[in-house]
Amino acid sequence: MEKFQDDTVKLEMIKTILDGGYFNDNIYLCKMIKYNEEEECIYLLTGKTELSEFSLDSIYECTMTDEEEEVKCRGKIVERYWDKRGKVLVFHVENGFYKNSLN
């Protein structure tokens, strides 16, 4: 996943965990700043999007694309915070990486 570092990725809510929880059907563009293979976490910058837009009680799909393939994974946002780089999401991968060839 290091090849997608500094690339724009799509983040989309696919399911809420809480009964009666708010489902947000927006697709967010974030910048991948790091992938921690040991913790299975992707660190994302949200840009202008406020951290409160992202639920800690939902399942998201993260899509990474380059010229040759599209890679998707599913998981949860486990942490949201500000640091010197901006607004950061920590996305924990729970359902592996699925590759689709674009050629």
Side-chain angles (χ1 to χ4, degrees):
M1 295 303 100
E2 289 78 24
K3 73 178 186 173
F4 297 108
Q5 190 164 329
D6 296 323
D7 286 352
T8 300
V9 301
K10 289 189 262 183
L11 197 61
E12 180 178 10
M13 183 185 290
I14 57 171
K15 178 182 173 183
T16 60
I17 296 171
L18 291 178
D19 199 23
Y22 172 73
F23 184 82
N24 182 343
D25 61 355
N26 291 333
I27 296 174
Y28 295 99
L29 299 178
C30 300
K31 180 179 177 182
M32 179 195 247
I33 52 175
K34 182 171 102 174
Y35 173 63
N36 183 322
E37 188 173 355
E38 188 175 298
E39 295 176 2
E40 295 183 317
C41 288
I42 299 171
Y43 292 77
L44 304 167
L45 286 176
T46 68
K48 295 182 180 182
T49 307
E50 293 300 322
L51 293 173
S52 59
E53 293 269 331
F54 300 95
S55 172
L56 297 176
D57 297 315
S58 297
I59 304 295
Y60 287 85
E61 183 171 75
C62 182
T63 305
M64 298 157 273
T65 308
D66 68 8
E67 301 82 33
E68 299 171 8
E69 67 183 352
E70 178 179 81
V71 177
K72 295 184 178 189
C73 60
R74 291 186 176 180
K76 293 191 307 188
I77 295 169
V78 293
E79 198 172 348
R80 310 175 289 195
Y81 60 88
W82 273 88
D83 76 1
K84 65 183 178 185
R85 296 169 291 189
K87 296 172 253 182
V88 178
L89 297 175
V90 180
F91 178 81
H92 182 259
V93 177
E94 295 182 347
N95 195 353
F97 296 100
Y98 301 96
K99 296 180 182 182
N100 294 325
S101 176
L102 297 178
N103 294 331

